[in-house]
Amino acid sequence: DTVVRDEELPVLPPYTTRDKFNSAMAALSRILGASNVEINDKPLKDGWYIEHPNTHDAYHLLPATDSVSSAACYPGSTEEVSAVVKWANQYEIPIFPISIGRNLGYGGAAPRVRGSVVVDLGRRMNKVLKLDGENYSCLVEPGVTYYKLYDEVKKSGLPMWIDPPDLGGGSVIGNTVDRGVGYTLYGDHFANHCGMEVVLPTGEVIRTGMGGLPGPDNTDSPTWQSFQYGFGPYYDGIFTQSNFGIVTKLGMWLMPETEHQTFMVTFPRDDDFGDIVEVIRPLMVKKILGNVPQLRNVIQELAVTGKPRSAFWKGTGRMPREVIREHASKMPCGDCAWVFYGTVYGTKEQIADTLKICKVEFGKIQGAKFIFPEDVPPDHYLHSRVSVCSGVPEIRELDWLNWKPNAGHLFFAPISPTKKEDARTIYEIVLKIHQKYGFDMFPTYCINTREMHYIANLVYDRNDEDEKQRAMACMREMIDECAKVGYGEYRTHILLADQVAQTYSWNNQALMKFHEVLKDTLDPKGILAPGRSGIWPAKYRNQGWEL
Amino acid sequence: DTVVRDEELPVLPPYTTRDKFNSAMAALSRILGASNVEINDKPLKDGWYIEHPNTHDAYHLLPATDSVSSAACYPGSTEEVSAVVKWANQYEIPIFPISIGRNLGYGGAAPRVRGSVVVDLGRRMNKVLKLDGENYSCLVEPGVTYYKLYDEVKKSGLPMWIDPPDLGGGSVIGNTVDRGVGYTLYGDHFANHCGMEVVLPTGEVIRTGMGGLPGPDNTDSPTWQSFQYGFGPYYDGIFTQSNFGIVTKLGMWLMPETEHQTFMVTFPRDDDFGDIVEVIRPLMVKKILGNVPQLRNVIQELAVTGKPRSAFWKGTGRMPREVIREHASKMPCGDCAWVFYGTVYGTKEQIADTLKICKVEFGKIQGAKFIFPEDVPPDHYLHSRVSVCSGVPEIRELDWLNWKPNAGHLFFAPISPTKKEDARTIYEIVLKIHQKYGFDMFPTYCINTREMHYIANLVYDRNDEDEKQRAMACMREMIDECAKVGYGEYRTHILLADQVAQTYSWNNQALMKFHEVLKDTLDPKGILAPGRSGIWPAKYRNQGWEL
Ligand SMILES: Cc1cc2nc3c(=O)[nH]c(=O)nc-3n(C[C@H](O)[C@H](O)[C@H](O)COP(=O)(O)OP(=O)(O)OC[C@H]3O[C@@H](n4cnc5c(N)ncnc54)[C@H](O)[C@@H]3O)c2cc1C
Ligand SMILES: Cc1cc2nc3c(=O)[nH]c(=O)nc-3n(C[C@H](O)[C@H](O)[C@H](O)COP(=O)(O)OP(=O)(O)OC[C@H]3O[C@@H](n4cnc5c(N)ncnc54)[C@H](O)[C@@H]3O)c2cc1C
């Protein structure tokens, strides 16, 4: 997993010379101290989740040497982030901020523009600045991972939960600015954030929401983590999935600790997912199910055991339905087609009542079967859902990456209304294209009330060039085919952002023109994460950068 | 209530001549048709809530003739709105969009810049474009009031609720873009909107969220009202409390019909509000109380009877506590200091359980007394709360404006954490300043989980110049004194926006500079609602417009 490179290192950012770059780096060392600037001139190590690189995408989709940085730097404060931004403007060097850089499946730590300087915020700015047990909120720096926040809350003894995504090693800020999701009642992370501090692409610093109003004696506003909107335009959204600013502080709301009950429901027929979705929607809209539950295809029961595909089948091509069936029938889920993972919250009595309703409703699907944690062995994935859905970070979800050797993966994540017909349309497109490119299909519907994040995990072998190319082609075709019938992605791999952004084409690409007007105003030198979310600064536009 | 004017009419917008203005108006008539352009050259009629003017602020704070328009126009489609905007750019005439113009207490229909052309969107664009009974959502045009949306939902027979603010005659769009609040579980209107169509200040039209992705055959995106964020920067917030765009379509989520129970709790001691707030906060955070309940001072029990102040007391100056006490003790609320109005939702059993918890918790305040709708006479205000809190629009709330003859009113609305100490600090400031300026104090805490909109209604006699000046002075002093200790307004009267915006001064007015950068980019000619939310285009800045 180590790639030795045979070109002059570090690779340069565009529009500069090695001399200019070297003097820029010398200046950066003077600003941050030499120990906080690290040239990327060593072999590239993919490492693994916990020891992930900040030099490139560990799950590379193009050759590992392609999307690489020239260097990383480690600012220690908002003032230093601002200084780095001003430095980048002065030397016109593209910078790419990461909080932790574990955005695996979406591009990892890789900058979109080769040779960018990665601004690794999390390394030194990693404190939980506030934990408010009365108002159930916190204020964090970029390096605070879900694990770290969990630990701090535990240490405080306060009866609060965090809301981790499936893997706990990402940062609260990185996940939230990429509009990630978790699985408790606070699963919509953007909706549950409260207040930002942002360094703008020219180095000014603003605070959003009530943070704009200083507290007495230069303290923070007493209402910064209480009220999201403040007065005047509400800006926070423009600092998510964008390249309009670097978030250096973020407020998040925390969920009050509660009783909870996680359960599985299995459904026997492949064709039933549309009807299952129809059962789920009213339960969600009426907040009977309040969290973000998942509906998964049975193949994932095999995958989350952490065993490789070859342990189930030695054949090539897509794993046949009968093989999946045969193995599933010997597993706790039994011979089924779909598995629902849900959690209900409240007092013991409320939970009992809610489960009663769920049993009636899911019971409308013939053959639906409830399975509880006590019904399955201790190593079953259901126990990891219990953790994640009750605010305990996990990394169990990594296990399905063992499916293939040297696995990397991609998320295809279109949004669908929580309706049978839409679910079916997308499913059929995704199935057809997976068949065409020969990939096993791992669909998970993350159901967020009126919409579902339809998440298809595409697992590929990083050492197999052909498979990587097929993975890319498969993604591209799914994006296009879904867009044709009106479905778009909520988030995507950084290398696919141009294509996805272009599908949001209403009124002759009016939205892209608006992105560009803002980008050119806020970042006139085009230094901040060029190309992120498909937004290119003037300097790069129509120069062949778009993919 | 009719003011005859003795100056040349219509009043002109700034930076133009009467000739230029006249030819601009002729051009506008050609664009929209002469019947859709109306010169404001008649006497000003204040009218009343249902017959409100679109020419000025019916609740004028300065002389009625001050904040007046030169004309109103009535576009009939998004294309016509875009044409009006382009016209305004061409002739450099400031325009001021209203949806309905009933923003009473915050400036009514009055443009901030005298002589602006009011773009009255609601007159002709007033359709409910979609009503989705599966996904519980709708798509509306600017002229759709809460009354109208309610009627359409009723007509459809779908089991859905709307969420009206205290008065049902405002528009869904006008209220939401001003970040107004209602009182069901969907009381935070911005949080429950989904998708916008926006005409930018230069005339381009964008759709936000999933609206950016067209459906097949030029239909709307099938997910526009399902998912708020879309892909890339999430812009909707910048089109609220701003002058960066005109919203021509808005998606809103609707609440599933449910059982409900509204109730009052009275508390005997003036000093207990801090402790009451402490009881409410955990009930809100744990979603035991899920809506936006109100805690009101007992004086409002007198006011909402709709009887004038003089019916209770003939004296001048602030109404003494003993007088309030004497009357209250003969009313259903009894001799109390504070009245809580709350609603709980769910099944009959859930409601019974929740009420049990509420009784225990509020019971911790000595002397707390529960009162239910069946305990009070049919004309009691509690019945109007039942309506509003179960999605039925009302105008009962207008009644407290009878308090004074010719009443206008102002809202002072700072944000406070839902905590005793903060509630107390603000209360004391507001009390002191009300005493100083001789106003009765009508505080309502609208409690939205971690924060409260502390809303003080200042009622003044529009015919009493001295009183109007005292009202203004009282507001200004409250804004300043609260800001000194870290509290800011969530929304304000258009004439006070400069002052409020300036209190969001963190880091040397960094936020205001950011507003201005965006304003100058998006609206280079400075035509759209100059001065709204304290944001002035370059042309007007530092020319003496700021108040
Ligand atoms: C098996 C598996 C399961 C996963 N499950 C989930 C899941 O359930 N939910 C989910 O949401 N994700 C999931 N992910 C994706 C990813 O792991 C997480 O989103 C993770 O939290 C990313 O966090 P990070 O801190 O490493 O992000 P980073 O890589 O640091 O940042 C993410 C993005 O945001 C930008 N960014 C980061 N910090 C800042 C900042 N301070 N200012 C401005 N921009 C910034 C970066 O440029 C980058 O594009 C999963 C991944 C894998 C491999
Ligand atoms: C007694 C009383 C009680 C009230 N109670 C409440 C309450 O409970 N909750 C609450 O929120 N308010 C309340 N209000 C204030 C007000 O009545 C409401 O907010 C009302 O809904 C305003 O709606 P409107 O459609 O008339 O707004 P408008 O006057 O049309 O617009 C409001 C503002 O938004 C801007 N705007 C309007 N339409 C657009 C558009 N399409 N694009 C861009 N900008 C636009 C306007 O420029 C204006 O500044 C109350 C008022 C009174 C008098």
Side-chain angles (χ1 to χ4, degrees):
Chain A
D1 279 14
T2 300
V3 179
V4 181
R5 296 181 283 171
D6 60 359
E7 57 186 324
E8 192 177 357
L9 296 177
V11 303
L12 288 184
Y15 312 119
T16 191
T17 62
R18 196 158 295 275
D19 273 358
K20 277 201 216 155
F21 178 77
N22 288 341
S23 65
M25 293 314 291
L28 187 57
S29 290
R30 283 193 297 275
I31 294 169
L32 296 181
S35 61
N36 294 316
V37 179
E38 193 172 6
I39 300 295
N40 177 12
D41 55 6
K42 320 229 159 32
L44 299 175
K45 275 194 212 169
D46 290 346
W48 73 292
Y49 185 73
I50 296 296
E51 283 156 22
H52 68 294
N54 68 6
T55 46
H56 70 293
D57 184 3
Y59 291 179
H60 33 86
L61 187 56
L62 300 178
T65 54
D66 199 277
S67 305
V68 293
S69 64
S70 54
C73 70
Y74 308 106
S77 64
T78 301
E79 292 67 37
E80 288 193 0
V81 174
S82 169
V84 169
V85 166
K86 288 178 182 159
W87 165 86
N89 274 283
Q90 187 185 342
Y91 293 93
E92 299 201 29
I93 291 193
I95 56 176
F96 189 83
I98 59 173
S99 283
I100 290 291
R102 286 202 183 106
N103 208 12
L104 298 169
Y106 292 116
R112 175 66 173 80
V113 166
R114 193 166 198 250
S116 297
V117 172
V118 164
V119 183
D120 188 337
L121 302 153
R123 181 79 60 103
R124 292 172 64 211
M125 299 169 73
N126 52 23
K127 279 185 290 299
V128 175
L129 299 170
K130 264 183 234 167
L131 213 48
D132 181 338
E134 288 180 325
N135 241 355
Y136 290 80
S137 65
C138 63
L139 182 70
V140 300
E141 290 186 324
V144 174
T145 62
Y146 290 96
Y147 274 111
K148 171 140 183 175
L149 183 57
Y150 175 79
D151 285 347
E152 297 265 322
V153 172
K154 280 287 132 186
K155 259 193 269 168
S156 75
L158 294 166
M160 312 195 291
W161 284 2
I162 67 160
D163 179 281
D166 268 336
L167 298 179
S171 64
V172 177
I173 291 189
N175 186 279
T176 304
V177 301
D178 222 21
R179 294 205 300 264
V181 294
Y183 303 95
T184 74
L185 298 173
Y186 286 43
D188 181 344
H189 292 163
F190 181 74
N192 287 289
H193 94 282
C194 193
M196 289 178 171
E197 180 182 85
V198 184
V199 177
L200 298 174
T202 39
E204 295 84 6
V205 186
I206 62 171
R207 288 187 174 180
T208 66
M210 300 306 293
L213 201 148
D217 305 320
N218 278 316
T219 53
D220 293 344
S221 156
T223 56
W224 197 14
Q225 271 64 63
S226 296
F227 183 60
Q228 294 174 310
Y229 308 137
F231 177 81
Y234 171 53
Y235 289 119
D236 298 36
I238 74 168
F239 299 113
T240 62
Q241 290 194 5
S242 80
N243 44 21
F244 299 160
I246 299 180
V247 178
T248 46
K249 292 187 179 74
L250 183 78
M252 287 298 294
W253 289 337
L254 298 169
M255 181 173 150
E257 195 175 279
T258 170
E259 304 284 332
H260 55 100
Q261 175 68 56
T262 295
F263 58 95
M264 292 163 72
V265 192
T266 61
F267 304 95
R269 281 172 311 278
D270 288 342
D271 221 41
D272 277 352
F273 67 93
D275 292 328
I276 302 168
V277 163
E278 289 293 306
V279 167
I280 295 172
R281 188 185 57 246
L283 293 176
M284 292 296 298
V285 176
K286 291 178 187 164
K287 294 192 195 291
I288 294 166
L289 287 170
N291 77 328
V292 179
Q294 296 188 349
L295 180 65
R296 296 172 162 228
N297 189 276
V298 61
I299 190 174
Q300 302 201 52
E301 292 295 306
L302 276 58
V304 290
T305 61
K307 288 184 203 149
R309 177 182 140 104
S310 57
F312 299 100
W313 194 52
K314 307 278 181 235
T316 55
R318 290 163 47 82
M319 184 180 280
R321 181 67 180 99
E322 312 81 68
V323 174
I324 300 169
R325 165 159 292 149
E326 188 198 313
H327 289 286
S329 62
K330 287 177 257 160
M331 293 169 58
C333 63
D335 176 12
C336 67
W338 294 95
V339 185
F340 176 83
Y341 284 95
T343 307
V344 294
Y345 303 92
T347 60
K348 286 225 156 57
E349 300 75 50
Q350 285 165 342
I351 288 174
D353 288 348
T354 309
L355 282 177
K356 253 184 249 161
I357 302 175
C358 290
K359 281 182 181 164
V360 171
E361 295 304 315
F362 284 117
K364 293 176 181 167
I365 310 293
Q366 225 195 336
K369 223 183 97 187
F370 276 70
I371 300 175
F372 290 91
E374 58 272 26
D375 304 331
V376 297
D379 65 345
H380 192 278
Y381 175 67
L382 180 53
H383 299 290
S384 128
R385 293 292 339 137
V386 174
S387 297
V388 169
C389 296
S390 62
V392 182
E394 276 273 341
I395 55 167
R396 171 71 185 262
E397 196 74 17
L398 277 177
D399 285 2
W400 53 255
L401 287 169
N402 297 337
W403 193 248
K404 291 204 171 166
N406 311 303
H409 78 106
L410 282 160
F411 287 119
F412 176 62
I415 294 293
S416 153
T418 310
K419 293 185 188 178
K420 177 174 182 163
E421 259 177 88
D422 303 274
R424 201 171 265 294
T425 307
I426 295 184
Y427 181 85
E428 276 157 17
I429 293 171
V430 171
L431 176 62
K432 191 185 69 193
I433 300 171
H434 271 63
Q435 284 169 338
K436 173 168 169 190
Y437 291 99
F439 285 102
D440 295 324
M441 176 171 162
F442 296 100
T444 299
Y445 300 82
C446 295
I447 300 148
N448 204 349
T449 308
R450 290 165 177 83
E451 59 79 23
M452 309 185 286
H453 288 39
Y454 179 107
I455 299 198
N457 304 316
L458 200 68
V459 185
Y460 58 90
D461 179 341
R462 277 175 287 180
N463 289 351
D464 182 335
E465 253 333 296
D466 169 64
E467 196 163 297
K468 282 166 90 166
Q469 277 169 26
R470 275 189 288 123
M472 189 66 137
C474 181
M475 288 291 286
R476 287 204 175 277
E477 197 163 325
M478 290 191 293
I479 293 167
D480 272 348
E481 291 301 308
C482 280
K484 274 186 203 154
V485 288
Y487 304 102
E489 282 65 61
Y490 96 99
R491 179 180 181 191
T492 199
H493 192 284
I494 193 154
L495 294 174
L496 294 162
D498 290 318
Q499 188 189 356
V500 168
Q502 296 289 328
T503 64
Y504 286 70
S505 63
W506 188 82
N507 193 21
N508 207 6
Q509 296 288 349
L511 204 55
M512 180 51 78
K513 288 174 201 155
F514 190 62
H515 296 326
E516 292 177 351
V517 166
L518 289 185
K519 183 65 181 169
D520 291 345
T521 302
L522 299 178
D523 185 9
K525 301 261 165 140
I527 54 96
L528 188 59
R532 177 154 146 77
S533 291
I535 305 170
W536 292 97
K539 190 166 150 185
Y540 290 78
R541 227 171 276 152
N542 306 319
Q543 305 284 316
W545 287 96
E546 294 85 355
L547 280 181
Chain B
D1 280 14
T2 299
V3 180
V4 181
R5 295 181 284 172
D6 61 357
E7 58 186 323
E8 191 176 1
L9 296 178
V11 302
L12 288 184
Y15 312 120
T16 193
T17 63
R18 196 159 293 277
D19 274 357
K20 277 200 215 157
F21 178 78
N22 288 342
S23 65
M25 293 315 291
L28 187 58
S29 291
R30 285 192 297 276
I31 295 169
L32 296 181
S35 61
N36 294 316
V37 179
E38 193 173 4
I39 300 294
N40 177 11
D41 54 6
K42 323 232 157 30
L44 299 175
K45 275 195 209 166
D46 289 347
W48 72 292
Y49 186 73
I50 296 296
E51 285 157 20
H52 68 294
N54 68 6
T55 46
H56 68 294
D57 183 2
Y59 290 178
H60 35 84
L61 187 56
L62 299 179
T65 54
D66 198 277
S67 304
V68 293
S69 65
S70 54
C73 71
Y74 308 106
S77 64
T78 301
E79 293 67 37
E80 288 192 0
V81 174
S82 168
V84 169
V85 166
K86 287 177 182 158
W87 165 87
N89 274 282
Q90 186 184 342
Y91 292 93
E92 299 201 28
I93 290 193
I95 57 177
F96 189 82
I98 60 173
S99 284
I100 290 290
R102 285 202 184 108
N103 207 12
L104 298 169
Y106 294 116
R112 174 66 174 81
V113 165
R114 191 165 201 251
S116 297
V117 172
V118 164
V119 182
D120 188 337
L121 303 154
R123 181 76 62 104
R124 293 171 64 211
M125 299 169 73
N126 51 24
K127 280 185 291 301
V128 176
L129 299 170
K130 265 183 233 166
L131 213 47
D132 181 339
E134 289 181 320
N135 240 356
Y136 290 81
S137 65
C138 64
L139 182 70
V140 300
E141 290 187 325
V144 175
T145 62
Y146 290 96
Y147 275 112
K148 170 137 184 177
L149 183 57
Y150 175 79
D151 285 347
E152 297 266 321
V153 172
K154 280 285 131 187
K155 260 193 268 169
S156 74
L158 295 166
M160 310 195 290
W161 283 2
I162 69 159
D163 180 282
D166 268 337
L167 299 178
S171 65
V172 177
I173 291 190
N175 186 278
T176 304
V177 301
D178 223 22
R179 296 204 299 261
V181 294
Y183 303 95
T184 73
L185 297 174
Y186 286 41
D188 180 344
H189 292 163
F190 181 75
N192 287 289
H193 94 283
C194 192
M196 291 178 169
E197 180 182 84
V198 184
V199 177
L200 298 174
T202 40
E204 294 85 4
V205 187
I206 61 171
R207 289 187 173 180
T208 66
M210 299 308 293
L213 200 148
D217 305 320
N218 279 318
T219 54
D220 292 344
S221 157
T223 55
W224 196 12
Q225 272 63 63
S226 296
F227 182 59
Q228 295 174 310
Y229 308 135
F231 177 80
Y234 171 53
Y235 288 119
D236 298 35
I238 76 168
F239 299 113
T240 62
Q241 290 192 5
S242 80
N243 45 20
F244 299 160
I246 299 180
V247 178
T248 46
K249 293 187 178 71
L250 182 78
M252 287 296 295
W253 290 336
L254 298 168
M255 182 172 148
E257 196 175 278
T258 171
E259 304 283 334
H260 56 98
Q261 175 68 57
T262 295
F263 58 94
M264 293 163 70
V265 192
T266 62
F267 304 95
R269 281 173 310 278
D270 288 341
D271 220 40
D272 276 353
F273 67 93
D275 292 328
I276 302 168
V277 162
E278 290 293 306
V279 166
I280 295 171
R281 187 184 59 246
L283 293 175
M284 293 296 297
V285 175
K286 292 178 185 163
K287 295 192 192 293
I288 294 166
L289 288 169
N291 78 330
V292 180
Q294 294 188 350
L295 180 66
R296 295 172 162 229
N297 190 278
V298 62
I299 190 174
Q300 302 202 53
E301 292 296 306
L302 276 58
V304 290
T305 60
K307 288 185 204 148
R309 178 183 139 104
S310 57
F312 299 101
W313 194 51
K314 307 275 182 239
T316 54
R318 290 162 46 83
M319 184 179 280
R321 181 68 181 97
E322 311 80 70
V323 174
I324 301 169
R325 163 158 293 147
E326 188 196 313
H327 289 286
S329 62
K330 287 178 255 158
M331 293 169 60
C333 63
D335 176 13
C336 68
W338 295 94
V339 185
F340 175 83
Y341 284 95
T343 307
V344 293
Y345 303 93
T347 60
K348 286 223 156 58
E349 300 75 50
Q350 283 166 343
I351 288 175
D353 287 348
T354 309
L355 282 177
K356 252 183 250 162
I357 300 175
C358 290
K359 281 183 182 163
V360 171
E361 295 304 316
F362 285 116
K364 293 177 179 166
I365 310 292
Q366 225 195 336
K369 223 181 97 188
F370 276 69
I371 299 177
F372 290 90
E374 59 272 24
D375 304 331
V376 297
D379 65 345
H380 192 276
Y381 176 67
L382 180 54
H383 298 291
S384 130
R385 291 302 326 144
V386 174
S387 297
V388 169
C389 296
S390 62
V392 182
E394 277 273 341
I395 55 167
R396 170 71 187 262
E397 195 72 18
L398 277 176
D399 286 2
W400 53 255
L401 286 170
N402 297 338
W403 193 250
K404 291 207 171 163
N406 312 304
H409 78 104
L410 283 161
F411 288 119
F412 177 61
I415 294 293
S416 152
T418 310
K419 294 185 189 177
K420 177 174 181 163
E421 258 176 88
D422 303 273
R424 200 170 266 295
T425 307
I426 294 183
Y427 181 86
E428 276 158 16
I429 292 172
V430 172
L431 176 63
K432 191 186 69 195
I433 300 172
H434 271 62
Q435 284 169 339
K436 172 168 169 188
Y437 290 99
F439 285 103
D440 295 324
M441 176 172 163
F442 295 100
T444 299
Y445 300 82
C446 296
I447 299 148
N448 204 349
T449 309
R450 289 167 179 81
E451 59 79 23
M452 310 185 286
H453 289 37
Y454 179 108
I455 299 197
N457 305 317
L458 200 68
V459 185
Y460 59 90
D461 179 341
R462 278 175 287 180
N463 290 353
D464 182 334
E465 255 333 295
D466 169 64
E467 195 162 299
K468 281 166 92 165
Q469 277 168 25
R470 275 188 290 124
M472 189 66 137
C474 180
M475 287 293 283
R476 288 203 175 277
E477 196 164 326
M478 290 191 292
I479 293 166
D480 273 348
E481 292 300 307
C482 279
K484 274 188 203 154
V485 287
Y487 304 102
E489 282 66 60
Y490 96 101
R491 181 179 179 190
T492 199
H493 192 284
I494 193 153
L495 294 174
L496 294 162
D498 290 318
Q499 188 189 357
V500 169
Q502 295 290 329
T503 63
Y504 285 71
S505 63
W506 188 81
N507 193 19
N508 207 6
Q509 297 287 349
L511 205 56
M512 180 52 78
K513 288 173 202 156
F514 191 62
H515 297 327
E516 293 178 350
V517 167
L518 289 184
K519 182 67 179 167
D520 291 344
T521 302
L522 299 177
D523 185 9
K525 300 261 166 139
I527 54 98
L528 187 60
R532 176 153 145 77
S533 292
I535 305 171
W536 292 96
K539 191 167 151 183
Y540 290 79
R541 226 170 277 151
N542 307 316
Q543 305 283 319
W545 287 95
E546 294 86 354
L547 282 179

